[in-house]
Amino acid sequence: MEQKNKFDLNSLIGFALIFVIIIWIMTNSKNSEEQKQLDKVKQEQVDKEKKTVPAQTIAETLKDSTVTDTAKVEKLKSVLGSFAYSASLPSAKDSITTIENELLVLKVANKGGYISEVTLKDYKRFDKNSKELVSLIKNNNSNFNLELKTNDNRILNSKDLYFQPTLTKNGESQILSMKLKAGPNEFLEYKYVLNNKNYMLDFEIQTQGLAKVLNTTKPSNLEWDLKAYRNEKSISYENRYAELYFEHKNGKVDYAGLGSQEDKDLENATFIAFKQHFFSSILLTKTPIEGASIHSTNLVHDEDKDTIFTKQFKTILPLAYKNGELDYKMNWYFGPTDYKILNSYDRNIEHIVQLGWGIFGWINKFIFVPLFGFLSNFMSLGITIIVFTILIKLAMSPITFKSFLSQAKMKVLRPEITELGEKFKKDPMKKQQETMKLYNKAGVNPMAGCIPALIQIPFVYASFQFFPSAIQLRQQSFLWADDLSSFDQIFKLPFRIPMYGDHVSLFPILAAIAIFFYMKMTSGDQAMAQPQQEGMPDMSKIMKVMIYISPLMMLIFFNSYGSGLSLYNFMSNLITIGIMLVIKKYFIDSDKIHAQIQENKTKPKKESKFQKKMREMMEQAEAQKQLKNKK
């Protein structure tokens, strides 16, 4: 019997070895499978690189002047196949075709057939006195390429091949056709149509007669990338709002995150937007594209060194063939990230303007945007901000009044509440019951002071979304600020302070001072109005700390923000202080409030459903407590 219960060490070792072997086999199998997949991807990449005709080979063949024309054509055919036809045309040279209207100048290159330069006529870089116009595309910061897989097992990149340009006019429209030819009537065409006074142009990608030339069984990847140039005074502030947006087939607009590097795969893309804060480059398609992918990389790691570009944007759009041909109706938008302009196209692209989500977005869309736009028609932008702030604060003044009135009532009741606290010091539940009875008799709602403050919070948050998105403020001066969309520097520091910057802005200082006095005034009233509850933190101590923390945060974080937002916050708090003083002096009379409360106590009060429920809950809790004590 004793032998049977003996610990068998050899069996245990055997089981352990079997377990180790199983784990090793499973892990090795998994690693082998992963390695096979990795090797497959690498091999596919190697095969693709082998099949892809290098741009250097194409360029060298075209420039080769040591052979006869006939020999050159044959050599081109050996490199480009059927597309040697296009390379043998007179247009096979580094030429540019320009189309423009009152707003845009577009330059389209023969090589690649894509837009090589976009200049906005009405906008200048950095400041209004700059002689340099905003260029979204220039100096090879953008590439636009269609990958062409031929039936003779080559992979050609359209960006390396020469297109034949044809510029015509149809009324006020300029039509530029760029054709990559494989024969007299076989070609890939990019068609650009630019109308007057328009940032949006029509764009088509189509093929004709290339079914015998191209492998059309799989989609051709359209690759578009853009290295976004810095256009504003503060590169860190501009980069904060430089984002990659996209729209799904269902109409939902989303964006790649703000991390250092973001990648996303899209099911059905209908537009891709490379947003550079106040300017955007958007590619729209009327045919949703399946399997698109996007990529965003932050290029600003040190704002003292990384001063030229903000972000690198990339997208790959697989274009599917139908009946052996490509036929995609698209649009390009190159212009300001202006909500009013974008909204006028009715293509959902206005959603790239960050106005906030939910109620915050509604406030901006239906109140801030139309009101600010209306006022800006009649006055300068600085005065517009002041008048705009006054109107918003006046509209909110009834809510402010209710909040102060509630605080005044609570202040009058404070001695009685303190007395109840002392009387039922050892019985917190009874104290709470009696306090609720006092509130009910006096006709005072302890939550009345909180609700108005909560109502104002969405308007505060909406302003933080609205002003950084308001392109109207860009390069508009007011007082000492030369650009309301950027910081209002009054002094340049010889060093950089972490989180603060290397300059001193005045409007954030004024806003911080206004917040300090506003909180100084309100914290005293709140402390007097709200007695400390047992077991709860002392709010008066917290408020005393917040009096200094809030202005300090305003001073630090808003130093590099747009001065328009700081001006709004300064005026908002200044006006609120004024409204408070007027209400306190002319509308709040403590003696009258006290008399009214005493009169209310004598009147019979009908409990609300909420009050009744709260009373019943407290009574039940009290009964359970007494029952427990008896046991």
Side-chain angles (χ1 to χ4, degrees):
M1 191 70 170
E2 185 178 344
Q3 183 66 27
K4 287 182 180 180
N5 292 331
K6 186 178 179 181
F7 180 73
D8 191 346
L9 181 61
N10 292 332
S11 297
L12 182 62
I13 294 172
F15 280 119
L17 288 172
I18 292 171
F19 179 75
V20 169
I21 292 170
I22 291 172
I23 294 297
W24 180 84
I25 291 172
M26 291 175 63
T27 305
N28 190 58
S29 176
K30 183 179 178 182
N31 291 339
S32 298
E33 188 62 32
E34 290 178 353
Q35 187 61 43
K36 285 180 182 178
Q37 291 294 330
L38 187 61
D39 291 342
K40 183 180 178 182
V41 172
K42 287 182 178 179
Q43 188 60 45
E44 287 176 352
Q45 184 64 31
V46 170
D47 292 341
K48 180 180 176 180
E49 289 175 358
K50 285 181 179 178
K51 294 176 183 178
T52 302
V53 179
Q56 185 178 356
T57 302
I58 298 172
E60 288 174 353
T61 305
L62 287 168
K63 291 179 180 179
D64 189 356
S65 59
T66 63
V67 295
T68 63
D69 290 343
T70 303
K72 190 172 185 179
V73 169
E74 291 302 318
K75 192 172 182 181
L76 284 170
K77 284 183 178 180
S78 68
V79 175
L80 302 176
S82 298
F83 289 106
Y85 181 89
S86 195
S88 63
L89 297 174
S91 55
K93 55 185 178 182
D94 294 328
S95 297
I96 296 292
T97 303
T98 301
I99 55 176
E100 63 179 299
N101 59 17
E102 295 89 338
L103 306 173
L104 292 170
V105 177
L106 305 176
K107 294 185 178 181
V108 183
N110 284 16
K111 187 177 182 181
Y114 62 86
I115 298 172
S116 60
E117 191 170 320
V118 176
T119 302
L120 307 183
K121 291 184 175 181
D122 294 337
Y123 297 92
K124 294 181 179 179
R125 295 186 74 194
F126 307 128
D127 63 74
K128 59 187 176 183
N129 297 319
S130 170
K131 295 181 180 180
E132 186 179 1
L133 294 173
V134 169
S135 292
L136 302 183
I137 299 176
K138 66 175 182 178
N139 298 334
N140 299 315
N141 73 315
S142 178
N143 280 304
F144 188 80
N145 176 61
L146 184 63
E147 187 180 82
L148 303 170
K149 299 174 183 177
T150 66
N151 285 325
D152 55 1
N153 214 28
R154 306 171 200 267
I155 297 178
L156 300 171
N157 290 313
S158 65
K159 66 179 181 180
D160 300 326
L161 306 176
Y162 287 92
F163 287 64
Q164 183 182 55
T166 304
L167 180 60
T168 58
K169 287 190 176 182
N170 183 10
E172 294 184 345
S173 300
Q174 299 172 68
I175 304 169
L176 176 60
S177 170
M178 304 294 295
K179 291 182 179 178
L180 173 62
K181 291 190 171 184
N185 298 308
E186 296 85 37
F187 54 81
L188 162 69
E189 180 183 30
Y190 295 161
K191 183 186 288 185
Y192 304 90
V193 181
L194 181 63
N195 300 312
N196 282 342
K197 297 181 180 179
N198 207 329
Y199 289 107
M200 183 89 76
L201 59 148
D202 297 332
F203 176 60
E204 294 181 19
I205 297 179
Q206 57 188 1
T207 60
Q208 178 177 301
L210 294 184
K212 294 180 180 180
V213 177
L214 299 177
N215 180 355
T216 61
T217 58
K218 293 182 179 180
S220 287
N221 287 333
L222 180 65
E223 302 165 356
W224 176 38
D225 63 78
L226 176 72
K227 208 172 180 181
Y229 276 109
R230 169 194 180 184
N231 289 307
E232 312 304 326
K233 186 163 62 174
S234 171
I235 191 169
S236 59
Y237 189 59
E238 179 181 3
N239 194 42
R240 185 180 295 129
Y241 298 99
E243 300 164 316
L244 196 161
Y245 281 81
F246 53 92
E247 182 189 42
H248 296 285
K249 183 180 177 181
N250 60 7
K252 181 184 177 183
V253 177
D254 204 348
Y255 66 95
L258 301 177
S260 59
Q261 185 168 306
E262 296 291 336
D263 294 277
K264 281 183 182 289
D265 294 322
L266 314 179
E267 291 185 4
N268 289 283
T270 47
F271 77 65
I272 304 293
F274 297 163
K275 179 187 171 189
Q276 300 172 229
H277 192 186
F278 286 130
F279 304 99
S280 296
S281 305
I282 309 173
L283 179 61
L284 305 97
T285 173
K286 295 178 181 179
T287 304
I289 297 174
E290 297 182 9
S293 63
I294 56 174
H295 174 85
S296 173
T297 304
N298 179 32
L299 301 178
V300 181
H301 305 289
D302 184 341
E303 59 185 281
D304 288 327
K305 298 177 181 178
D306 305 322
T307 60
I308 300 175
F309 301 101
T310 55
K311 283 189 171 70
Q312 171 78 60
F313 299 122
K314 294 182 179 180
T315 185
I316 298 177
L317 305 169
L319 302 187
Y321 290 86
K322 290 184 179 180
N323 300 319
E325 303 289 358
L326 291 177
D327 188 9
Y328 280 84
K329 311 296 182 186
M330 298 181 169
N331 295 94
W332 284 108
Y333 175 87
F334 297 107
T337 312
D338 186 314
Y339 183 87
K340 184 178 179 181
I341 294 174
L342 295 172
N343 190 46
S344 68
Y345 291 109
D346 195 25
R347 297 289 297 274
N348 223 26
I349 54 178
E350 70 276 7
H351 290 288
I352 72 170
V353 181
Q354 188 60 268
L355 295 179
W357 53 271
I359 188 173
F360 313 116
W362 299 339
I363 290 171
N364 275 323
K365 186 176 180 180
F366 299 112
I367 300 176
F368 282 14
V369 170
L371 177 59
F372 194 86
F374 173 76
L375 293 174
S376 63
N377 292 325
F378 305 100
M379 57 195 80
S380 68
L381 270 298
I383 300 299
T384 296
I385 292 175
I386 294 173
V387 175
F388 173 83
T389 312
I390 292 172
L391 292 177
I392 294 295
K393 299 308 291 185
L394 286 177
M396 302 291 288
S397 59
I399 298 174
T400 306
F401 173 76
K402 287 186 178 181
S403 179
F404 290 149
L405 181 62
S406 176
Q407 288 181 16
K409 289 180 178 180
M410 294 292 291
K411 186 177 179 181
V412 169
L413 283 177
R414 182 181 173 89
E416 294 182 57
I417 295 172
T418 303
E419 186 179 334
L420 288 173
E422 290 296 323
K423 184 176 180 180
F424 300 103
K425 190 173 184 179
K426 296 182 179 180
D427 192 345
M429 184 62 70
K430 186 67 175 176
K431 172 189 170 184
Q432 193 69 22
Q433 287 178 325
E434 294 301 320
T435 302
M436 291 298 293
K437 286 181 183 178
L438 175 62
Y439 287 149
N440 189 40
K441 284 182 180 180
V444 174
N445 182 357
M447 296 299 295
C450 300
I451 294 173
L454 291 174
I455 293 174
Q456 295 185 63
I457 288 175
F459 286 84
V460 174
Y461 181 80
S463 70
F464 281 85
Q465 298 292 317
F466 171 73
F467 283 98
S469 299
I471 192 174
Q472 302 98 311
L473 301 179
R474 187 176 185 269
Q475 297 177 1
Q476 297 296 313
S477 59
F478 180 67
L479 299 178
W480 56 86
D482 57 6
D483 186 347
L484 288 169
S485 72
S486 188
F487 54 82
D488 56 311
Q489 177 181 309
I490 58 168
F491 183 73
K492 179 74 173 178
L493 298 173
F495 49 84
R496 179 177 295 278
I497 301 174
M499 294 193 299
Y500 185 74
D502 59 356
H503 64 274
V504 177
S505 298
L506 183 53
F507 275 129
I509 295 174
L510 295 175
I513 293 171
I515 287 176
F516 174 79
F517 282 105
Y518 166 72
M519 296 192 70
K520 192 80 172 174
M521 292 173 66
T522 56
S523 61
D525 290 340
Q526 290 172 357
M528 289 295 292
Q530 297 284 356
Q532 183 182 356
Q533 300 293 322
E534 189 172 337
M536 298 295 289
D538 190 344
M539 292 304 296
S540 63
K541 291 182 179 179
I542 294 175
M543 290 302 297
K544 285 179 181 178
V545 175
M546 290 304 296
I547 288 173
Y548 299 97
I549 291 179
S550 295
L552 184 62
M553 290 175 64
M554 167 62 74
L555 202 62
I556 293 174
F557 293 109
F558 280 74
N559 190 59
S560 294
Y561 266 67
S563 52
L565 179 59
S566 299
L567 171 60
Y568 172 81
N569 279 288
F570 167 59
M571 292 303 304
S572 179
N573 285 288
L574 198 64
I575 294 166
T576 303
I577 291 171
I579 291 174
M580 283 173 55
L581 294 174
V582 171
I583 291 174
K584 284 184 176 182
K585 185 172 183 179
Y586 297 103
F587 296 95
I588 301 293
D589 188 325
S590 297
D591 293 334
K592 287 184 179 180
I593 292 173
H594 184 268
Q596 183 64 51
I597 288 176
Q598 298 309 315
E599 183 182 341
N600 289 343
K601 288 180 181 180
T602 62
K603 296 178 181 179
K605 287 287 179 182
K606 184 179 179 181
E607 284 184 315
S608 66
K609 290 183 179 180
F610 175 76
Q611 290 173 327
K612 183 180 179 181
K613 189 70 176 175
M614 288 294 295
R615 178 179 58 77
E616 289 174 350
M617 288 173 63
M618 285 189 285
E619 287 175 354
Q620 288 175 6
E622 182 65 22
Q624 289 176 359
K625 181 181 177 183
Q626 290 178 359
L627 184 63
K628 186 178 180 181
N629 291 336
K630 286 180 181 180
K631 290 180 180 179

